Amino acid sequence: MPSRDFKRTDRVGAELRRELALLVHAAVRDHGLPSVSVSDVEVTRDLDWATVWVTALQPERSTEAMKALKELAIEFRRELSRSMRLRRVPELRFKYDDSVDKGERIDSLLRQESARAAGAGEESAGDE
């Protein structure tokens, strides 16, 4: 029997990510929430829990968005039970994915450092 490349939890997680992206987008629009997007969904092996990783376009408003998403989790789960063909939809845990924020911070620091190094290179060239 051929080995499966994808585990069931991976397939369920990918489907949840697609469906939740639509639901979260609608919630942002309907409830006037800060703009967020679903970056990943991790499902436990027993399919009881799904951790939904979310990023915000405005990191300073991320706590507001996370609070609202946690309040809407039951409603999202109900909608998922209607749209997905699962016997039991996992309970949703929303967590903020700060990897994008950290990446932007690192990029900013690298740009500052390269600008500083370029400025130092010009000064030393002017000394000669």
Side-chain angles (χ1 to χ4, degrees):
M1 189 165 150
S3 66
R4 293 182 179 170
D5 292 328
F6 296 104
K7 298 178 196 165
R8 182 161 191 245
T9 55
D10 294 339
R11 293 191 309 267
V12 170
E15 182 66 21
L16 280 171
R17 186 176 64 239
R18 282 191 291 275
E19 294 291 327
L20 279 168
L22 297 172
L23 293 173
V24 167
H25 179 71
V28 165
R29 188 181 59 239
D30 297 343
H31 298 287
L33 301 176
S35 188
V36 295
S37 64
V38 177
S39 59
D40 194 18
V41 176
E42 296 173 354
V43 183
T44 58
R45 272 183 83 187
D46 59 4
L47 301 177
D48 280 346
W49 290 93
T51 303
V52 183
W53 295 96
V54 178
T55 58
L57 292 178
Q58 300 169 325
E60 63 277 357
R61 296 185 65 194
S62 62
T63 54
E64 174 188 348
M66 292 306 297
K67 182 180 177 193
L69 290 174
K70 288 176 182 179
E71 290 173 0
L72 291 168
I74 295 171
E75 186 178 324
F76 289 153
R77 188 173 180 215
R78 188 176 309 119
E79 288 296 321
L80 289 170
S81 70
R82 293 181 188 134
S83 64
M84 294 183 70
R85 294 179 53 202
L86 287 175
R87 187 174 299 158
R88 185 172 178 277
V89 175
E91 291 191 39
L92 305 174
R93 275 189 242 165
F94 285 91
K95 293 195 175 185
Y96 186 67
D97 182 6
D98 63 351
S99 62
V100 174
D101 300 340
K102 287 180 181 177
E104 288 177 0
R105 171 107 171 99
I106 291 170
D107 187 50
S108 167
L109 290 172
L110 289 172
R111 285 185 187 170
Q112 288 175 1
E113 187 59 34
S114 67
R116 191 174 300 131
E122 289 174 5
E123 288 176 11
S124 65
D127 291 342
E128 294 176 11

